[in-house]
Amino acid sequence: MNRIIALYIWAVGMFSAIMLSACVEDGFSTNPSDQPQLSADTLRLGLVFTGEGTPTHLFKIHNRHDKGMIVSSLRVRDDAWRDVFRFNVDGMAGRDFTDVEIRANDSIFVLVEATLPENGAQLPVEINAPVDIVVNGLTSTIVLNAFGRDVTRMHEPRIQSDTRWESTKPIQIFDSLVVEPGATLTLGAGQQLCFHAGVYMRVYGKLVAEGTPEAPVDIAGDRFDQVVGSIPYDIMSGQWGGIEFMPGSTGNRMSHTVVRNTTWGVEVSGEGANPQLPVLTLVNCRLRNSAANVLTVTGASVRAIGCELAEAADNVVEAGEGSHLVINHCTLANYYLFSAVNGAMVYVAADDAAGDISNSIIYGNGGIVSPGDLFGYDFYLRTSLLKPNGSDDDNFLAIMWGQDPMFYTVRSDYYFDYRLREGSPAIGAADPALTLREAAVDFFGNERGAEPDLGAYVYVPESDSL
């Protein structure tokens, strides 16, 4: 019996020694040479409106060593920024952290959010806030980088009398924007309108957008971060509704204006097309990136001159019942990213739709013109470049068939630039007799000259244009 007890005591002692040895081996290092590895030296939170929380970003703290380590302190270095940033470290929320354990050959997540204070500046203000991470008496640092821009917020704005917006701040729209009958909303050069998800602009009165080459008007969604990875919201459709010009609205004019990332684009409805009194005139505008059509016209006259009309899940331009379109020196292109293209670049949806497309480029994925045979339609394409091979007839006149305009666009890199590269067959190929007076310069202020190029943009050698 005594022998059994002795053996038992020996076994317990051996087990305890083994466990103690394991605990020693799995203990926490105090060696200053054992330091963590951070997943980045700068965490970029992007551009956000002041007073509005950023999306959540993260970085990792890796322990590449065979012993555990203790983060004795993790905090924003400058007290001025401590209330701006919020952290979640390995599941614990707060602003300052002490004695955070990281097991051997393991890592922890640090989630970061921020609400940037108003800065009183006209342009975005950059913030760089160092975060110090102390382990074994030494400090590692990651910089939190963010840009904050002041904004004017409007909830359900209704324009009931003539109003001019010419703010140095963007205007963020919630609950939609309505221009009432008899009222005119004028947007000065450089004005930005940022629409929240699901809202739209509806015009019963009149909209005038007075952008310039140096300061275009910008109308888009209010997200500036990344959809996923390196893909920015800037190329994501469906962020907000779009612009509706309602029956009874006339004399609308937009110059050097960008309308992008919509659900249904720009829709123009009238009570009968009158080419002498267009409901909407677009000069040197960019309408791009719609989850449906980019431009839809029904029962109204619309003029688009020097415009880029691009990126649509359905049709780029749809000419509906009783519509009349003039499209001069425009680039119609479609490399839509988020689904297969269901429609055509130009869809003539009714046999009473009338149109004249001249000195333009129509190129990209999906159909080009539908129906392909316009015999009997009052709809003509003249001196333009089209993607498919074909031959002229009574509706297609002096067409450059089956040619590549050589855009800078690289769809796989999410890069969309419809200016012309050197060697493009569209250079100098337009008919100056068809160039309308309002097309004298392009979006960037370049003069078309006596030998104009096809499409919206004047060719400029690469060293000068990009």
Side-chain angles (χ1 to χ4, degrees):
M1 178 68 71
N2 290 336
R3 186 176 180 183
I4 294 174
I5 293 173
L7 184 61
Y8 174 77
I9 294 171
W10 176 85
V12 170
M14 290 297 295
F15 179 77
S16 299
I18 292 170
M19 291 302 296
L20 179 61
S21 174
C23 289
V24 171
E25 288 301 312
D26 290 341
F28 294 97
S29 171
T30 59
N31 188 338
S33 65
D34 290 344
Q35 291 295 309
Q37 180 181 5
L38 306 183
S39 60
D41 56 11
T42 301
L43 185 66
R44 302 188 186 279
L45 279 66
L47 172 67
V48 293
F49 289 139
T50 57
E52 194 170 289
T54 68
T56 301
H57 294 72
L58 69 86
F59 66 94
K60 287 184 179 182
I61 304 176
H62 297 277
N63 177 7
R64 306 293 192 190
H65 305 285
D66 293 332
K67 288 187 176 182
M69 64 173 52
I70 294 178
V71 177
S72 57
S73 174
L74 184 154
R75 70 190 300 270
V76 175
R77 180 185 303 169
D78 301 322
D79 288 342
W81 300 122
R82 290 189 63 231
D83 291 336
V84 169
F85 296 95
R86 302 175 296 281
F87 298 91
N88 187 299
V89 178
D90 202 26
M92 297 181 294
R95 285 184 166 84
D96 292 341
F97 298 84
T98 58
D99 299 331
V100 179
E101 299 179 3
I102 309 178
R103 296 166 65 180
N105 297 303
D106 203 350
S107 62
I108 61 172
F109 289 95
V110 179
L111 308 182
V112 184
E113 297 176 343
T115 301
L116 305 184
E118 290 192 12
N119 50 56
Q122 294 185 12
L123 298 175
V125 172
E126 183 176 13
I127 292 174
N128 287 293
V131 176
D132 291 333
I133 301 164
V134 181
V135 173
N136 295 334
L138 298 180
T139 300
S140 302
T141 300
I142 183 170
V143 176
L144 306 181
N145 174 267
F147 290 83
R149 185 162 193 188
D150 288 352
V151 64
T152 298
R153 294 180 173 89
M154 293 188 177
H155 291 266
E156 200 174 1
R158 303 185 76 87
I159 307 303
Q160 298 177 319
S161 60
D162 291 354
T163 302
R164 184 179 185 88
W165 287 350
E166 197 159 21
S167 173
T168 57
K169 299 179 183 179
I171 297 175
Q172 189 177 24
I173 307 294
F174 296 87
D175 309 313
S176 300
L177 164 62
V178 176
V179 182
E180 300 282 13
T184 298
L185 173 62
T186 301
L187 305 177
Q191 181 65 69
Q192 288 182 264
L193 301 186
C194 302
F195 286 80
H196 201 59
V199 306
Y200 54 84
M201 181 191 303
R202 181 169 291 161
V203 181
Y204 294 94
K206 183 189 296 186
L207 175 66
V208 177
E210 299 177 339
T212 66
E214 299 77 21
V217 171
D218 188 50
I219 305 175
D222 63 357
R223 294 290 300 269
F224 304 103
D225 54 312
Q226 310 300 108
V227 180
V228 63
S230 62
I231 303 176
Y233 267 97
D234 188 59
I235 63 170
M236 183 80 174
S237 66
Q239 294 184 46
W240 61 291
I243 304 178
E244 293 178 305
F245 294 92
M246 305 304 292
S249 174
T250 60
N252 299 281
R253 181 179 178 87
M254 302 168 72
S255 177
H256 293 90
T257 298
V258 180
V259 181
R260 55 196 170 91
N261 305 341
T262 61
T263 299
W264 34 259
V266 175
E267 295 185 352
V268 185
S269 300
E271 299 169 334
N274 182 346
Q276 306 306 315
L277 294 173
V279 171
L280 175 63
T281 299
L282 302 164
V283 179
N284 293 331
C285 292
R286 288 173 163 175
L287 313 185
R288 61 188 312 175
N289 209 11
S290 169
N293 298 340
V294 170
L295 175 64
T296 304
V297 185
T298 304
S301 178
V302 170
R303 291 161 55 88
I305 301 164
C307 295
E308 175 190 314
L309 310 170
E311 319 305 348
D314 293 332
N315 305 301
V316 174
V317 174
E318 180 174 322
E321 183 177 357
S323 63
H324 184 277
L325 276 70
V326 172
I327 296 176
N328 182 247
H329 275 291
C330 289
T331 295
L332 282 67
N334 204 356
Y335 290 91
Y336 187 74
L337 278 172
F338 304 104
S339 70
V341 175
N342 297 317
M345 303 283 189
V346 179
Y347 175 44
V348 184
D351 57 12
D352 66 344
D356 185 280
I357 300 175
S358 58
N359 282 352
S360 294
I361 296 172
I362 306 176
Y363 198 88
N365 297 332
I368 301 300
V369 179
S370 178
D373 184 358
L374 293 174
F375 178 77
Y377 287 77
D378 187 18
F379 211 103
Y380 303 91
L381 289 84
R382 299 182 289 161
T383 315
S384 294
L385 184 153
L386 274 63
K387 181 179 180 179
N389 293 316
S391 58
D392 289 0
D393 59 23
D394 290 343
N395 298 90
F396 294 84
L397 308 168
I399 299 300
M400 187 177 288
W401 296 97
Q403 298 285 329
D404 184 347
M406 300 175 62
F407 299 134
Y408 280 100
T409 292
V410 182
R411 185 176 185 266
S412 59
D413 293 341
Y414 315 119
Y415 182 69
F416 302 90
D417 186 334
Y418 293 109
R419 287 175 285 183
L420 305 174
R421 289 188 284 119
E422 183 178 359
S424 169
I427 297 172
D431 182 350
L434 298 177
T435 299
L436 298 178
R437 177 181 55 82
E438 292 168 299
V441 300
D442 71 0
F443 182 88
F444 299 99
N446 301 308
E447 295 185 2
R448 296 195 189 274
E451 297 181 356
D453 308 325
L454 295 176
Y457 303 115
V458 174
Y459 167 70
V460 176
E462 182 173 351
S463 60
D464 299 325
S465 63
L466 299 181

